[in-house]
Amino acid sequence: MKRKMILIGSLATLMLAGTTVQADDGHLAADRIDEALKQGTTFGFQHFQEIEAKERDTIEIEGWLDETWQADVRLSLENGESLEEQRNRRDGGAWGMNEEDVRLAMQAAVAEGLVEFEEIQVDRDGRVEIEGIDADGREIEVRTQQGESGLVEVERD
């Protein structure tokens, strides 16, 4: 009996721990991209290279504040507070997506079934990659070209 109680207690603890991890899993609903963009532009971002969901209400943004300052910032979506910040002066000029580019890429991903995103990023050639989860809980990766609403490729796991 004692062994059974320990086993049940251990199982309950593991289930509770699993639930806690799921509640804070580094995904955000796709429709929260506007909140992320608002916090990013309020902070000063003009060009977005990467937006990553860290926790339910925390994002990390990498991008350019102007033509010479690049930043990597962790922001609270609740209040816009900067939780962590790093700025670097760079030569070569700013690059990345503007707000409209981010929205176009997210629209393409949502049209393919994305409901939560983990990360959206762009490379110097304008290739945009969005990683997230579909309605069935499966991982989905959508690749588009910056500034275009046309879909390039979808991968599901």
Side-chain angles (χ1 to χ4, degrees):
M1 181 73 169
K2 193 180 224 182
R3 190 170 160 199
K4 209 181 225 183
M5 292 300 284
I6 291 172
L7 183 60
I8 290 171
S10 297
L11 183 58
T13 301
L14 285 172
M15 288 175 67
L16 181 59
T19 302
T20 303
V21 169
Q22 287 176 355
D24 209 11
D25 59 2
H27 296 107
L28 283 174
D31 62 0
R32 294 191 72 190
I33 194 66
D34 286 327
E35 288 177 68
L37 290 170
K38 180 181 177 188
Q39 294 300 347
T41 55
T42 298
F43 185 84
F45 282 99
Q46 295 178 7
H47 302 278
F48 298 90
Q49 293 172 312
E50 182 176 345
I51 301 171
E52 184 177 356
K54 290 300 197 179
E55 298 168 356
R56 283 288 175 198
D57 288 313
T58 304
I59 55 168
E60 184 174 332
I61 299 176
E62 292 181 39
W64 291 82
L65 303 174
D66 58 27
E67 291 298 312
T68 56
W69 286 98
Q70 189 177 30
D72 184 352
V73 180
R74 188 177 289 223
L75 296 168
S76 166
L77 286 179
E78 284 184 22
N79 57 23
E81 179 183 350
S82 171
L83 306 172
E84 191 175 321
E85 178 180 333
Q86 182 178 2
R87 295 179 190 218
N88 296 302
R89 190 175 185 98
R90 303 261 191 234
D91 293 328
W95 61 275
M97 298 179 284
N98 62 31
E99 287 182 66
E100 186 58 29
D101 292 336
V102 174
R103 285 188 183 96
L104 278 173
M106 188 61 75
Q107 286 172 0
V110 168
E112 289 300 319
L114 181 122
V115 294
E116 292 185 348
F117 77 96
E118 295 172 23
E119 178 179 43
I120 179 169
Q121 61 184 348
V122 65
D123 67 15
R124 281 189 178 267
D125 295 326
R127 289 184 298 255
V128 181
E129 186 175 291
I130 303 171
E131 296 176 7
I133 306 293
D134 68 12
D136 296 327
R138 296 182 310 173
E139 292 182 13
I140 184 172
E141 192 172 297
V142 178
R143 293 182 193 90
T144 67
Q145 188 64 37
Q146 181 179 350
E148 297 179 15
S149 58
L151 189 62
V152 175
E153 185 180 335
V154 177
E155 199 175 301
R156 289 182 168 80
D157 291 336

